[in-house]
Amino acid sequence: MPRKKPLASKIAPSSMEERINVLKRNHDRFLVRLMSSISRTCIMYGSKAISHFGISMSQAIVLGELFSKNGCRQDDLRVFVTLDKGNITRALQRLEEYGLVQRRQDPVDRRVVRVYVTRKALSIELEMYALATLLDDKLTAGFTQEERETLVTLLLRIDANAKAMAKKNEVQSDCKEN
């Protein structure tokens, strides 16, 4: 199987060298590093905030997505929350064990599994949204409303780019050479 060219090879050598030198001098401004740090901090803080529900942050994210997409297909839910098949299955199994979701076969297409929130989940929905809002407010403390809106818009664009990048990589990795 031929080796793929490293991602760095797609940038002109002089330009790449210059960018690396800038990043070395400004390590704390490296976008991937910043997003990773923010993500880990939010998971640590969020995990403590929701610990009384007995669920993890990834399970809370799945549940939060279901609040607005109740009855969606399990595979679509996996894409919405950016989890692989094994992780979404485990998250849903736990949420089922806690009585927060139900999975049912689609009556029209029996190959499809649909996921529904339960009354128990609906009873904690407002508190979960309140905790998410509090976290958002803490993350954007000192921001004007305009700065916050601009940040969200830019992050949505980054999210779309990241998902496109992951999808492209998923398609490439699924292809087999003859």
Side-chain angles (χ1 to χ4, degrees):
M1 187 184 301
R3 296 182 76 190
K4 291 182 184 177
K5 286 186 178 179
L7 187 60
S9 68
K10 295 181 180 186
I11 301 173
S14 61
S15 174
M16 174 57 87
E17 198 172 306
E18 184 179 310
R19 287 181 68 186
I20 289 172
N21 287 331
V22 169
L23 288 171
K24 282 181 179 178
R25 289 190 305 271
N26 299 293
H27 174 74
D28 59 332
R29 298 184 64 81
F30 203 171
L31 188 57
V32 172
R33 184 199 160 286
L34 281 169
M35 290 189 306
S36 179
S37 174
I38 293 165
S39 176
R40 286 191 313 273
T41 303
C42 288
I43 289 169
M44 287 186 324
Y45 177 85
S47 294
K48 289 178 186 173
I50 64 167
S51 64
H52 63 285
F53 295 133
I55 61 176
S56 70
M57 276 299 287
S58 63
Q59 293 161 0
I61 290 167
V62 169
L63 192 55
E65 198 68 33
L66 281 170
F67 287 140
S68 64
K69 295 176 176 69
N70 194 28
C72 72
R73 296 169 17 145
Q74 180 173 323
D75 202 48
D76 291 340
L77 180 62
R78 177 187 69 78
V79 172
F80 297 144
V81 297
T82 322
L83 288 175
D84 62 34
K85 290 179 182 183
N87 285 328
I88 191 69
T89 300
R90 280 187 293 281
L92 290 172
Q93 284 172 342
R94 284 289 165 96
L95 290 170
E96 275 185 312
E97 289 170 12
Y98 297 137
L100 297 171
V101 301
Q102 290 181 339
R103 289 184 286 180
R104 296 185 224 140
Q105 279 186 323
D106 185 285
V108 177
D109 185 347
R110 300 197 48 83
R111 297 169 297 173
V112 172
V113 175
R114 295 200 173 270
V115 186
Y116 300 88
V117 293
T118 63
R119 286 186 183 169
K120 183 177 178 182
L122 292 173
S123 73
I124 65 170
E125 180 181 16
L126 288 178
E127 186 178 354
M128 285 188 63
Y129 276 118
L131 290 170
T133 300
L134 179 64
L135 181 55
D136 276 6
D137 290 346
K138 287 183 177 200
L139 288 169
T140 56
F143 287 35
T144 65
Q145 187 60 34
E146 184 180 347
E147 288 171 329
R148 190 182 188 291
E149 289 301 319
T150 300
L151 175 63
V152 170
T153 299
L154 294 172
L155 288 172
L156 286 169
R157 287 172 58 191
I158 289 173
D159 187 50
N161 289 343
K163 286 178 178 171
M165 185 174 64
K167 185 175 183 171
K168 183 178 179 185
N169 189 37
E170 192 175 276
V171 170
Q172 287 175 349
S173 66
D174 286 346
C175 295
K176 295 181 181 171
E177 292 186 352
N178 294 333

